[in-house]
């Protein structure tokens, strides 16, 4: 009997991955400090060894998709439409998804065949607080049921239909809510990066007869930023403490009440939020989607990527 040893991912060490770097691109990031997340280290070494090679790989995928679209249009004898390449980025709260998205946006926009790269976070597709309160799920903000998935899927469908101008709702982290009547416009992008905790989730409703579309159905490539549970908790607590000195200080901030907490009080509050909201969401909804990603970035406790898993084609 022959044993099936097929593994869906190729595991690549940091050192091996770094060999695919491209030094000439580094001049684009002389202001890389502006791309850092709060309480999250970002060094030129991390950019050089991890993100530059990743941008090279993604450029190959985008170029291949563009050639395929052109060939299909040629075969059908139809006018060529620029269909954007969509990249999904998932992972836990505090893992560094936003930093990954910002760095990739900057690097990918430097390649000549896809200079227009837009970044969209799924925070804009959360239901307004008023709706969450009506549904009784304000304490489950960030869970799958707190998102207007129909609106998010419609947005992605519009992007993939090559609509020239598509709107995105705007979320304010200061007000911790959707800003009514305010929209961000995405216009003729080459690439759209969609970042959010649950973008890879699939959970069809029971006994549903109609075909179901998932957010991830629109992705051409997906990335899961991964780390150990204990590290994620510590990063979240550290970030919460740092926010006392920054965003929480603003009297308009939804979390202004936390601005004057002591270190000990902050640790207690942050730990409770983690255990009651973020950890259950991570274990129930986010981690189970990890192996649906095209690429997994595995971080060590220093917050830097130590290895990668690339899905076989």
């Amino acid at each position: 009997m022959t044993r099936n040893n097929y593994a869906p991912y190729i595991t690549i060490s940091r050192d091996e991955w770094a060999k695919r770097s491209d030094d000439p691109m580094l001049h684009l990031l002389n202001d890389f400090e502006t791309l850092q997340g709060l309480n999250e280290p970002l060094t030129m070494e991390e950019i050089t060894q991890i993100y530059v090679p990743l941008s090279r790989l993604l450029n190959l995928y985008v170029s291949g998709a563009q050639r395929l679209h052109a060939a299909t249009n040629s075969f059908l004898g139809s006018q060529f439409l620029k269909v954007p390449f969509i990249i999904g980025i998932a992972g836990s709260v505090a893992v560094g998804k936003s930093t990954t998205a910002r760095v990739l946006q900057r690097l990918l926009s430097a390649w000549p065949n896809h200079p227009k790269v837009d970044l969209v976070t799924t925070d804009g597709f959360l239901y307004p607080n008023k709706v969450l309160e009506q549904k009784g799920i304000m304490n489950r903000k960030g869970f799958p049921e707190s998102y207007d998935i129909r609106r998010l899927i419609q947005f992605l469908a519009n992007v993939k239909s090559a609509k020239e101008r598509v709107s995105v709702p705007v979320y304010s982290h200061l007000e911790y809510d959707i800003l009514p009547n305010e929209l961000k416009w995405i216009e003729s992008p080459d690439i759209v990066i969609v970042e959010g905790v649950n973008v890879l989730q699939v959970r069809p409703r029971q006994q549903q007869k109609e075909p179901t579309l998932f957010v991830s159905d629109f992705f051409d490539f997906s990335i899961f930023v991964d780390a150990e549970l204990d590290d994620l908790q510590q990063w979240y607590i550290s970030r919460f403490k740092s926010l006392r000195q920054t965003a929480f200080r603003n009297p308009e901030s939804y979390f202004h009440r936390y601005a004057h907490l002591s270190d000990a009080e902050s640790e207690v509050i942050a730990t409770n939020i983690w255990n009651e909201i973020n950890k259950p969401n991570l274990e129930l909804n986010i981690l189970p989607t990890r192996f649906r990603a095209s690429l997994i970035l595995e971080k060590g406790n220093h917050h830097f990527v130590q290895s990668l898993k690339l899905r076989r084609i």
Side-chain angles (χ1 to χ4, degrees), residues 130-142:
K130 182 179 179 180
V131 174
L132 295 177
E133 289 166 356
Q134 290 172 347
K135 290 175 175 284
I137 56 172
M138 188 66 183
N139 64 338
R140 292 176 70 81
K141 199 167 189 176

Side-chain angles (χ1 to χ4, degrees), residues 7 32 74 97 111 122 128 176 190 197 208 212 218 221 235 248 272 275 303:
F32 75 92
S74 175
K97 299 182 305 302
W111 293 91
T122 57
Y176 196 57
D190 298 300
V197 292
Q208 183 171 323
T212 302
F218 295 92
F221 193 94
W235 297 343
F248 293 175
N272 287 341
N275 287 330
H303 227 307

Side-chain angles (χ1 to χ4, degrees), residues 15-300:
D15 290 343
E16 186 63 27
W17 182 264
K19 293 177 183 177
R20 277 75 184 170
S21 193
D22 187 357
D23 290 338
M25 294 190 69
L26 298 182
H27 75 279
L28 301 165
L29 291 167
N30 53 10
D31 62 340
F32 75 92
E33 294 90 349
T34 63
L35 302 173
Q36 287 184 259
L38 184 64
N39 217 54
E40 179 189 342
L42 178 66
T43 63
M44 283 304 296
E45 182 180 33
E46 186 77 350
I47 292 171
T48 303
Q49 296 186 0
I50 301 299
Y51 292 110
V52 171
L54 178 52
S55 76
R56 290 188 63 200
L57 176 66
L58 288 170
N59 176 60
L60 293 173
Y61 275 78
V62 175
S63 299
Q66 289 174 338
R67 289 193 297 270
L68 182 59
H69 286 308
T72 302
N73 278 280
S74 175
F75 173 77
L76 295 174
S78 57
Q79 184 179 1
F80 178 74
L81 291 175
K82 182 175 71 173
V83 179
F85 189 93
I86 302 183
I87 300 169
I89 301 180
S92 171
V93 168
V95 77
K97 299 182 305 302
S98 297
T99 298
T100 294
R102 286 192 298 270
V103 175
L104 285 178
Q105 181 185 26
R106 179 74 65 84
L107 289 171
L108 288 170
S109 64
W111 293 91
N113 55 321
H114 45 76
K116 184 126 180 11
V117 182
D118 280 304
L119 172 58
V120 173
T121 68
T122 57
D123 291 342
F125 294 93
L126 285 161
Y127 286 115
N129 288 351
K130 182 179 179 180
V131 174
L132 295 177
E133 289 166 356
Q134 290 172 347
K135 290 175 175 284
I137 56 172
M138 188 66 183
N139 64 338
R140 292 176 70 81
K141 199 167 189 176
F143 281 66
E145 61 268 30
S146 67
Y147 291 90
D148 188 345
I149 295 298
R150 179 172 295 183
R151 188 172 186 180
L152 175 54
I153 286 177
Q154 185 60 60
F155 161 75
L156 292 168
N158 288 340
V159 170
K160 273 299 184 187
S161 298
K163 285 197 173 184
E164 292 185 3
R165 199 164 184 258
V166 182
S167 66
V168 181
V170 176
Y171 183 84
S172 168
H173 286 276
L174 181 68
E175 299 184 25
Y176 196 57
D177 202 357
I178 299 294
L179 298 179
N181 305 317
E182 191 165 332
L183 296 171
K184 171 184 176 181
W185 291 93
I186 306 298
E187 300 184 12
S188 300
D190 298 300
I191 299 173
V192 177
I193 299 172
V194 180
E195 178 254 307
V197 292
N198 283 311
V199 294
L200 294 179
Q201 191 189 50
V202 292
R203 182 174 289 181
R205 286 171 289 183
Q206 296 297 319
Q207 298 179 342
Q208 183 171 323
K209 296 180 180 179
E210 297 298 321
T212 302
L213 273 176
F214 302 110
V215 171
S216 57
D217 289 338
F218 295 92
F219 295 161
D220 298 287
F221 193 94
S222 54
I223 300 167
F224 189 97
V225 187
D226 197 18
E228 293 294 329
L229 192 62
D230 290 344
D231 294 331
L232 290 168
Q233 178 176 343
Q234 189 53 54
W235 297 343
Y236 177 77
I237 293 170
S238 296
R239 187 175 75 176
F240 186 92
K241 289 180 177 179
S242 296
L243 284 167
R244 289 176 306 157
Q245 309 303 320
T246 53
F248 293 175
R249 291 284 183 185
N250 189 325
E252 301 299 318
S253 171
Y254 180 87
F255 296 103
H256 182 62
R257 63 189 181 278
Y258 296 141
H260 302 291
L261 294 177
S262 67
D263 274 355
E265 291 170 332
S266 296
E267 183 135 2
V268 170
I269 294 291
T271 300
N272 287 341
I273 294 173
W274 176 263
N275 287 330
E276 293 172 10
I277 300 174
N278 295 319
K279 183 180 177 182
N281 194 20
L282 175 61
E283 294 180 329
L284 292 172
N285 302 309
I286 303 170
L287 276 180
T289 71
R290 173 174 45 188
F291 293 108
R292 300 192 68 248
S294 310
L295 178 73
I296 303 173
L297 302 180
E298 300 177 318
K299 288 190 170 184

